[in-house]
Amino acid sequence: MALDTQPPLNSLGFAKPPAETRVVVAMSGGVDSSVVAAHLAEQGYDVVGVTLQLYDHGAALAKKGACCAGIDIHDARRVAEERGFPHYVLDYENIFKDAVIDEFADSYLAGATPVPCIRCNERVKFKDLLATARDLDADCMATGHYIQRKMGPNGPELHCAEDANRDQSYFLFSTTPEQLAFLRFPLGHLPSKNATRDMAAQYGLAVADKPDSQDICFVPNGDYASVIEKLRPGAGQPGEIVDVNGTVLGTHRGVLHYTIGQRRGLGIGGLADPLYVVKLDVDKAQVVVGPKEMLATRTIPVREINWLGDAPLTSRAEWHVSVKVRSTRPPREAILRPISETEATVELLSPEEGVSPGQACVFYETEGTRIFGGGWIWKGA
């Protein structure tokens, strides 16, 4: 009597040949997603490329060379044509404005420091685009993000990229278990960005030497204030710069021009000690400044938590984790104390400077590469 045997899993984790496995690739037009699409097509997968048009290219909100701008749609289409798989452009302009741009503007006007790239992944790419991938009868959706999806004893887990310098876990903490089951990240195991460009050259892709996109895709040259003033005319209300005792030290052009921790460009020179922005009081239209030590924070309130641990968040009184409060900073050891399934208090074992409402607080294994999710910092400590 012959034993039942299961067919081997392909590289995307399915027990069937690549040719019978449909994968939608989210193509931004950059080198990363182009390599993913070309590589999967080379392996014989049924690849469908999809590029999102996220804003009106004639409106000049986006800067030249930005993600999802006109040239990027052209580059993505060219890769698809050269590698022989279908490519579609979806108009998500209204979705992107409602789900990402409007909140970005309103958060800044409320004195927060938002991270729209996270909201774009959460509300557009991994929600609406993922639903479109399912409508196209795809088995999974692949992206060019530098992060790893590994199978654990309880299902798929999210892990940091092999190359710490390229790791994008901070921007993907809100990926849900259901989304993670459908997503694939083929570049996460690569040792460096050079390896990606080498693959692009190997496949003969015209984007092999294309520069990486910088800053937020719809913010030209990092000038947040000008974009917000265009979206919300008259939002730049001038006001006073005051110290923590309320003493007026100068005037400003509008709270939206400042961020927590800022030192330069305050226009209050000549003081004995350097001062930093420690608070933005939107109601009073005041920028509050103080000494550097006032920026140090140990207790961080977090809400809208997306939890990726095996046990429920509230199954313990506290979790020992490492956290990132900004994408450019290394993780710091902390204690996570749940209040509910979506709200908690984070206590840093050593103070962190410049913690700002609107930023994400992402949870990591203290020793290891796994991401346990994260949440949003919602008020100053």
Side-chain angles (χ1 to χ4, degrees):
M1 181 177 178
L3 295 174
D4 290 334
T5 58
Q6 292 290 334
L9 299 180
N10 60 36
S11 65
L12 293 178
F14 298 98
K16 54 184 176 180
E20 298 176 14
T21 305
R22 175 167 291 179
V23 51
V24 164
V25 179
M27 300 183 68
S28 67
V31 62
D32 299 323
S33 57
S34 296
V35 164
V36 168
H39 180 62
L40 294 175
E42 184 81 3
Q43 289 185 304
Y45 285 99
D46 179 10
V47 173
V48 178
V50 175
T51 301
L52 304 182
Q53 178 180 316
L54 298 181
Y55 26 68
D56 180 356
H57 307 304
L61 252 186
K63 63 178 181 289
K64 183 178 179 182
C67 164
C68 309
I71 186 65
D72 295 307
I73 293 174
H74 168 78
D75 287 342
R77 181 182 291 118
R78 181 177 176 183
V79 169
E81 289 175 351
E82 291 176 349
R83 306 307 299 184
F85 57 83
H87 174 259
Y88 301 99
V89 178
L90 305 180
D91 183 356
Y92 275 30
E93 182 184 341
N94 290 336
I95 293 172
F96 186 67
K97 183 179 185 301
D98 293 342
V100 180
I101 294 180
D102 283 344
E103 182 187 71
F104 168 83
D106 293 339
S107 294
Y108 249 102
L109 293 178
T113 309
V115 191
C117 298
I118 298 176
R119 290 301 197 194
C120 182
N121 289 326
E122 172 190 330
R123 297 176 174 178
V124 180
K125 293 177 182 175
F126 292 174
K127 183 183 177 185
D128 294 282
L129 178 55
L130 194 144
T132 297
R134 293 187 187 276
D135 290 341
L136 292 170
D137 294 325
D139 293 285
C140 63
M141 186 173 87
T143 79
H145 289 107
Y146 287 87
I147 197 166
Q148 297 189 78
R149 174 190 183 274
K150 297 182 178 182
M151 290 303 298
N154 295 291
E157 299 174 352
L158 206 58
H159 287 257
C160 295
E162 184 69 24
D163 180 7
N165 293 322
R166 300 295 300 177
D167 177 63
Q168 293 177 292
S169 58
Y170 183 85
F171 300 100
L172 297 168
F173 80 86
S174 61
T175 306
T176 67
E178 293 76 20
Q179 293 167 343
L180 190 56
F182 193 70
L183 289 164
R184 300 294 187 273
F185 308 107
L187 302 184
H189 69 287
L190 296 180
S192 70
K193 177 75 174 196
N194 288 336
T196 307
R197 294 199 181 276
D198 289 344
M199 291 176 68
Q202 173 190 332
Y203 293 131
L205 303 182
V207 296
D209 297 321
K210 186 174 181 177
D212 293 338
S213 58
Q214 302 292 328
D215 300 317
I216 297 169
C217 64
F218 58 89
V219 178
N221 306 314
D223 187 356
Y224 306 123
S226 65
V227 171
I228 294 166
E229 288 174 334
K230 185 177 293 185
L231 293 167
R232 302 287 187 271
Q237 178 185 355
E240 299 170 336
I241 299 176
V242 302
D243 65 16
V244 292
N245 297 314
T247 302
V248 177
L249 303 177
T251 59
H252 63 77
R253 295 181 294 137
V255 170
L256 61 88
H257 292 274
Y258 301 84
T259 58
I260 301 295
Q262 180 177 338
R263 176 188 172 188
R264 299 183 184 278
L266 300 180
I268 51 172
L271 300 173
D273 298 311
L275 295 176
Y276 299 77
V277 176
V278 297
K279 181 182 178 182
L280 298 173
D281 192 326
V282 177
D283 294 335
K284 295 180 180 179
Q286 287 184 334
V287 173
V288 183
V289 296
K292 188 175 183 180
E293 54 266 26
M294 290 194 66
L295 292 172
T297 300
R298 288 193 60 173
T299 303
I300 305 172
V302 180
R303 62 184 179 184
E304 292 184 60
I305 290 174
N306 177 57
W307 179 247
L308 296 174
D310 296 327
L313 176 62
T314 54
S315 64
R316 297 186 193 176
E318 57 184 42
W319 300 78
H320 289 259
V321 295
S322 292
V323 302
K324 272 190 178 185
V325 294
R326 297 215 176 189
S327 63
T328 55
R329 296 184 184 177
R332 297 284 189 94
E333 287 193 50
I335 299 173
L336 173 65
R337 295 188 174 93
I339 297 171
S340 69
E341 293 289 354
T342 58
E343 194 170 337
T345 299
V346 172
E347 180 187 347
L348 300 171
L349 299 193
S350 58
E352 181 86 18
E353 293 179 353
V355 176
S356 175
Q359 293 282 311
C361 181
V362 182
F363 316 142
Y364 298 83
E365 265 184 313
T366 52
E367 294 184 9
T369 61
R370 188 174 178 185
I371 297 113
F372 287 129
W376 295 93
I377 301 168
W378 64 279
K379 65 180 180 182

